[in-house]
Amino acid sequence: MKVRSLLTLLLIASLLFLAACGNKEEEKESSASKDDKKEETYTVEHAMGKTEIKGTPEKVVILTNEGTEALLAMGVTPVGAVQSWTGDPWYDHIADDMKDVEVVGTESELNIEAIAKLQPDLIIGTKLRQEEQYNQLKEIAPTVMSETLKGNWKENFELYAKALNKEEKGKEVLAEYDQRIEDLKGKLGDKLNQEVSMVRFLAGDVRIYHKDSFSGVILDQLGFARPAEQDKDDFAEKGVTKERIPAMDGDVLFYFTYETGDGEANKLAEEWINDPLFKNLEAAKAGKVYEVSDAIWNTAGGVIAANEMLDDIEKFFLEQ
């Protein structure tokens, strides 16, 4: 009996030893597989050429406002980002997700030293703003640049997804947005026949926005009618004078104000909104003039803002 028990114990011990060895081998293989995946390289073509990136980037610096939204939407929190055009330092609608992110200047004035200090493994920017700094940036880390910043944010979004090695996640984000557009179009129905006007106030400047602006693209995706004066495939009419107020008319008028803190833009908006010519607009007389967020409808320019603009459209056209 004692011999049999001893043999049984030895057998159990042997089996446990073999199992442990097997687990260690599996762990080694798994670890090696992860290392291989981490070290795989891919090449991204962009506005400044081709960039080879090793592994999936984990420490990303983003140098555009709309790019910041793209990263967040794909589940990537940047280690560094340019400051939002308005906000302290981030737009309200992304502030909670950006609490631990380092500011590395603005789109137009980068802090190269701050970027280098973060030791990123990927930098994403735009030729439009940062062409002159490209050579410095690529010495710090692989750098990918979009050609420009457009009303149609989707084009840059796809580039960012490639750079991040997250093309599948990027496709999911775009598919969700496209589905939302289709669903909202169905809900809006005949309301899409209403002509939607858009006006922006800045310190010293008034603009009427056309179809190739950020919000103009979204209105076009939904299928909204635009006033004849705004049904144009360009960005905006700048330097508008009060004689052009009739060109602002529509069934519904949305306006947004780029206020930087000195009160000048808000003051200008108030002056124009209370002008007799403005009050004589059909949209004004019908009580269909609405103020909306400049960050959401224009300045942020990314996928998160696009979805929040759709929230506004639902509120103004379906809930009121």
Side-chain angles (χ1 to χ4, degrees), residues 264-281:
E264 291 301 312
N266 284 333
K267 183 179 178 182
L268 185 66
E270 186 177 355
E271 176 195 329
W272 279 60
I273 297 300
N274 289 303
D275 189 279
L277 276 174
F278 192 94
K279 287 187 173 183
N280 196 47
L281 294 175

PDB file of all heavy atoms in Angstrom, residues 264-281:
ATOM      1  N   GLU A 264     -15.299  91.173 -27.725  1.00  0.00           N
ATOM      2  CA  GLU A 264     -15.544  91.888 -28.979  1.00  0.00           C
ATOM      3  C   GLU A 264     -16.468  91.120 -29.930  1.00  0.00           C
ATOM      4  O   GLU A 264     -17.338  91.706 -30.576  1.00  0.00           O
ATOM      5  CB  GLU A 264     -14.221  92.212 -29.671  1.00  0.00           C
ATOM      6  CG  GLU A 264     -13.370  93.246 -28.953  1.00  0.00           C
ATOM      7  CD  GLU A 264     -14.107  94.570 -28.790  1.00  0.00           C
ATOM      8  OE1 GLU A 264     -14.684  95.064 -29.794  1.00  0.00           O
ATOM      9  OE2 GLU A 264     -14.117  95.109 -27.668  1.00  0.00           O
ATOM     10  N   ALA A 265     -16.277  89.819 -30.039  1.00  0.00           N
ATOM     11  CA  ALA A 265     -17.118  89.029 -30.943  1.00  0.00           C
ATOM     12  C   ALA A 265     -18.564  88.994 -30.453  1.00  0.00           C
ATOM     13  O   ALA A 265     -19.506  89.143 -31.245  1.00  0.00           O
ATOM     14  CB  ALA A 265     -16.566  87.612 -31.074  1.00  0.00           C
ATOM     15  N   ASN A 266     -18.752  88.813 -29.151  1.00  0.00           N
ATOM     16  CA  ASN A 266     -20.109  88.812 -28.596  1.00  0.00           C
ATOM     17  C   ASN A 266     -20.795  90.168 -28.792  1.00  0.00           C
ATOM     18  O   ASN A 266     -21.987  90.250 -29.086  1.00  0.00           O
ATOM     19  CB  ASN A 266     -20.075  88.467 -27.110  1.00  0.00           C
ATOM     20  CG  ASN A 266     -19.841  86.987 -26.861  1.00  0.00           C
ATOM     21  OD1 ASN A 266     -20.174  86.139 -27.697  1.00  0.00           O
ATOM     22  ND2 ASN A 266     -19.263  86.659 -25.714  1.00  0.00           N
ATOM     23  N   LYS A 267     -20.022  91.217 -28.640  1.00  0.00           N
ATOM     24  CA  LYS A 267     -20.552  92.569 -28.827  1.00  0.00           C
ATOM     25  C   LYS A 267     -21.020  92.771 -30.263  1.00  0.00           C
ATOM     26  O   LYS A 267     -22.089  93.342 -30.518  1.00  0.00           O
ATOM     27  CB  LYS A 267     -19.478  93.592 -28.457  1.00  0.00           C
ATOM     28  CG  LYS A 267     -19.926  95.043 -28.530  1.00  0.00           C
ATOM     29  CD  LYS A 267     -18.781  95.970 -28.124  1.00  0.00           C
ATOM     30  CE  LYS A 267     -19.194  97.437 -28.248  1.00  0.00           C
ATOM     31  NZ  LYS A 267     -18.062  98.341 -27.886  1.00  0.00           N
ATOM     32  N   LEU A 268     -20.212  92.296 -31.212  1.00  0.00           N
ATOM     33  CA  LEU A 268     -20.565  92.422 -32.622  1.00  0.00           C
ATOM     34  C   LEU A 268     -21.818  91.606 -32.951  1.00  0.00           C
ATOM     35  O   LEU A 268     -22.708  92.080 -33.676  1.00  0.00           O
ATOM     36  CB  LEU A 268     -19.396  91.945 -33.495  1.00  0.00           C
ATOM     37  CG  LEU A 268     -19.563  92.128 -35.001  1.00  0.00           C
ATOM     38  CD1 LEU A 268     -19.601  93.615 -35.367  1.00  0.00           C
ATOM     39  CD2 LEU A 268     -18.432  91.421 -35.758  1.00  0.00           C
ATOM     40  N   ALA A 269     -21.892  90.390 -32.417  1.00  0.00           N
ATOM     41  CA  ALA A 269     -23.064  89.539 -32.654  1.00  0.00           C
ATOM     42  C   ALA A 269     -24.332  90.219 -32.146  1.00  0.00           C
ATOM     43  O   ALA A 269     -25.361  90.239 -32.840  1.00  0.00           O
ATOM     44  CB  ALA A 269     -22.870  88.189 -31.977  1.00  0.00           C
ATOM     45  N   GLU A 270     -24.267  90.765 -30.946  1.00  0.00           N
ATOM     46  CA  GLU A 270     -25.438  91.431 -30.366  1.00  0.00           C
ATOM     47  C   GLU A 270     -25.882  92.620 -31.227  1.00  0.00           C
ATOM     48  O   GLU A 270     -27.073  92.833 -31.456  1.00  0.00           O
ATOM     49  CB  GLU A 270     -25.114  91.912 -28.945  1.00  0.00           C
ATOM     50  CG  GLU A 270     -26.306  92.496 -28.214  1.00  0.00           C
ATOM     51  CD  GLU A 270     -25.980  92.899 -26.782  1.00  0.00           C
ATOM     52  OE1 GLU A 270     -24.851  92.640 -26.327  1.00  0.00           O
ATOM     53  OE2 GLU A 270     -26.867  93.475 -26.127  1.00  0.00           O
ATOM     54  N   GLU A 271     -24.902  93.377 -31.723  1.00  0.00           N
ATOM     55  CA  GLU A 271     -25.211  94.527 -32.574  1.00  0.00           C
ATOM     56  C   GLU A 271     -25.957  94.101 -33.836  1.00  0.00           C
ATOM     57  O   GLU A 271     -26.967  94.702 -34.210  1.00  0.00           O
ATOM     58  CB  GLU A 271     -23.908  95.240 -32.956  1.00  0.00           C
ATOM     59  CG  GLU A 271     -24.099  96.402 -33.925  1.00  0.00           C
ATOM     60  CD  GLU A 271     -22.785  96.851 -34.550  1.00  0.00           C
ATOM     61  OE1 GLU A 271     -21.725  96.733 -33.892  1.00  0.00           O
ATOM     62  OE2 GLU A 271     -22.821  97.296 -35.719  1.00  0.00           O
ATOM     63  N   TRP A 272     -25.470  93.048 -34.482  1.00  0.00           N
ATOM     64  CA  TRP A 272     -26.087  92.604 -35.728  1.00  0.00           C
ATOM     65  C   TRP A 272     -27.444  91.955 -35.502  1.00  0.00           C
ATOM     66  O   TRP A 272     -28.381  92.189 -36.274  1.00  0.00           O
ATOM     67  CB  TRP A 272     -25.149  91.630 -36.453  1.00  0.00           C
ATOM     68  CG  TRP A 272     -24.072  92.323 -37.229  1.00  0.00           C
ATOM     69  CD1 TRP A 272     -23.118  93.163 -36.742  1.00  0.00           C
ATOM     70  CD2 TRP A 272     -23.847  92.236 -38.632  1.00  0.00           C
ATOM     71  NE1 TRP A 272     -22.300  93.602 -37.750  1.00  0.00           N
ATOM     72  CE2 TRP A 272     -22.718  93.050 -38.921  1.00  0.00           C
ATOM     73  CE3 TRP A 272     -24.461  91.546 -39.675  1.00  0.00           C
ATOM     74  CZ2 TRP A 272     -22.217  93.192 -40.217  1.00  0.00           C
ATOM     75  CZ3 TRP A 272     -23.951  91.673 -40.960  1.00  0.00           C
ATOM     76  CH2 TRP A 272     -22.855  92.497 -41.227  1.00  0.00           C
ATOM     77  N   ILE A 273     -27.555  91.145 -34.476  1.00  0.00           N
ATOM     78  CA  ILE A 273     -28.821  90.448 -34.204  1.00  0.00           C
ATOM     79  C   ILE A 273     -29.941  91.456 -33.908  1.00  0.00           C
ATOM     80  O   ILE A 273     -31.115  91.211 -34.195  1.00  0.00           O
ATOM     81  CB  ILE A 273     -28.668  89.460 -33.025  1.00  0.00           C
ATOM     82  CG1 ILE A 273     -27.659  88.367 -33.370  1.00  0.00           C
ATOM     83  CG2 ILE A 273     -30.000  88.837 -32.632  1.00  0.00           C
ATOM     84  CD1 ILE A 273     -28.010  87.528 -34.556  1.00  0.00           C
ATOM     85  N   ASN A 274     -29.570  92.595 -33.340  1.00  0.00           N
ATOM     86  CA  ASN A 274     -30.568  93.618 -32.991  1.00  0.00           C
ATOM     87  C   ASN A 274     -30.730  94.694 -34.065  1.00  0.00           C
ATOM     88  O   ASN A 274     -31.501  95.641 -33.890  1.00  0.00           O
ATOM     89  CB  ASN A 274     -30.182  94.278 -31.662  1.00  0.00           C
ATOM     90  CG  ASN A 274     -30.386  93.337 -30.486  1.00  0.00           C
ATOM     91  OD1 ASN A 274     -31.484  92.843 -30.273  1.00  0.00           O
ATOM     92  ND2 ASN A 274     -29.322  93.068 -29.747  1.00  0.00           N
ATOM     93  N   ASP A 275     -30.029  94.555 -35.170  1.00  0.00           N
ATOM     94  CA  ASP A 275     -30.170  95.516 -36.262  1.00  0.00           C
ATOM     95  C   ASP A 275     -31.542  95.361 -36.931  1.00  0.00           C
ATOM     96  O   ASP A 275     -32.010  94.231 -37.132  1.00  0.00           O
ATOM     97  CB  ASP A 275     -29.064  95.283 -37.295  1.00  0.00           C
ATOM     98  CG  ASP A 275     -29.006  96.373 -38.334  1.00  0.00           C
ATOM     99  OD1 ASP A 275     -29.811  96.323 -39.301  1.00  0.00           O
ATOM    100  OD2 ASP A 275     -28.170  97.283 -38.193  1.00  0.00           O
ATOM    101  N   PRO A 276     -32.194  96.476 -37.287  1.00  0.00           N
ATOM    102  CA  PRO A 276     -33.517  96.392 -37.930  1.00  0.00           C
ATOM    103  C   PRO A 276     -33.529  95.523 -39.187  1.00  0.00           C
ATOM    104  O   PRO A 276     -34.506  94.809 -39.437  1.00  0.00           O
ATOM    105  CB  PRO A 276     -33.820  97.860 -38.275  1.00  0.00           C
ATOM    106  CG  PRO A 276     -33.076  98.642 -37.249  1.00  0.00           C
ATOM    107  CD  PRO A 276     -31.811  97.870 -37.002  1.00  0.00           C
ATOM    108  N   LEU A 277     -32.454  95.574 -39.970  1.00  0.00           N
ATOM    109  CA  LEU A 277     -32.389  94.740 -41.172  1.00  0.00           C
ATOM    110  C   LEU A 277     -32.409  93.253 -40.821  1.00  0.00           C
ATOM    111  O   LEU A 277     -33.050  92.444 -41.493  1.00  0.00           O
ATOM    112  CB  LEU A 277     -31.117  95.055 -41.972  1.00  0.00           C
ATOM    113  CG  LEU A 277     -31.155  96.244 -42.933  1.00  0.00           C
ATOM    114  CD1 LEU A 277     -29.770  96.494 -43.509  1.00  0.00           C
ATOM    115  CD2 LEU A 277     -32.176  96.020 -44.045  1.00  0.00           C
ATOM    116  N   PHE A 278     -31.691  92.889 -39.741  1.00  0.00           N
ATOM    117  CA  PHE A 278     -31.656  91.496 -39.306  1.00  0.00           C
ATOM    118  C   PHE A 278     -33.020  91.081 -38.756  1.00  0.00           C
ATOM    119  O   PHE A 278     -33.524  89.989 -39.052  1.00  0.00           O
ATOM    120  CB  PHE A 278     -30.570  91.285 -38.246  1.00  0.00           C
ATOM    121  CG  PHE A 278     -30.282  89.841 -37.947  1.00  0.00           C
ATOM    122  CD1 PHE A 278     -29.260  89.168 -38.601  1.00  0.00           C
ATOM    123  CD2 PHE A 278     -31.045  89.134 -37.021  1.00  0.00           C
ATOM    124  CE1 PHE A 278     -28.998  87.832 -38.327  1.00  0.00           C
ATOM    125  CE2 PHE A 278     -30.793  87.801 -36.745  1.00  0.00           C
ATOM    126  CZ  PHE A 278     -29.770  87.139 -37.402  1.00  0.00           C
ATOM    127  N   LYS A 279     -33.621  91.952 -37.968  1.00  0.00           N
ATOM    128  CA  LYS A 279     -34.927  91.633 -37.372  1.00  0.00           C
ATOM    129  C   LYS A 279     -36.015  91.487 -38.435  1.00  0.00           C
ATOM    130  O   LYS A 279     -37.061  90.880 -38.183  1.00  0.00           O
ATOM    131  CB  LYS A 279     -35.319  92.715 -36.367  1.00  0.00           C
ATOM    132  CG  LYS A 279     -34.509  92.655 -35.074  1.00  0.00           C
ATOM    133  CD  LYS A 279     -35.056  93.631 -34.051  1.00  0.00           C
ATOM    134  CE  LYS A 279     -34.364  93.455 -32.704  1.00  0.00           C
ATOM    135  NZ  LYS A 279     -34.920  94.341 -31.658  1.00  0.00           N
ATOM    136  N   ASN A 280     -35.755  92.035 -39.635  1.00  0.00           N
ATOM    137  CA  ASN A 280     -36.727  91.945 -40.721  1.00  0.00           C
ATOM    138  C   ASN A 280     -36.591  90.659 -41.523  1.00  0.00           C
ATOM    139  O   ASN A 280     -37.407  90.382 -42.409  1.00  0.00           O
ATOM    140  CB  ASN A 280     -36.574  93.152 -41.661  1.00  0.00           C
ATOM    141  CG  ASN A 280     -37.773  93.332 -42.557  1.00  0.00           C
ATOM    142  OD1 ASN A 280     -38.919  93.288 -42.094  1.00  0.00           O
ATOM    143  ND2 ASN A 280     -37.537  93.530 -43.853  1.00  0.00           N
ATOM    144  N   LEU A 281     -35.578  89.848 -41.226  1.00  0.00           N
ATOM    145  CA  LEU A 281     -35.430  88.561 -41.906  1.00  0.00           C
ATOM    146  C   LEU A 281     -36.620  87.657 -41.581  1.00  0.00           C
ATOM    147  O   LEU A 281     -37.161  87.690 -40.466  1.00  0.00           O
ATOM    148  CB  LEU A 281     -34.136  87.870 -41.476  1.00  0.00           C
ATOM    149  CG  LEU A 281     -32.811  88.536 -41.860  1.00  0.00           C
ATOM    150  CD1 LEU A 281     -31.640  87.776 -41.243  1.00  0.00           C
ATOM    151  CD2 LEU A 281     -32.655  88.629 -43.374  1.00  0.00           C
TER     152      LEU A 281
END
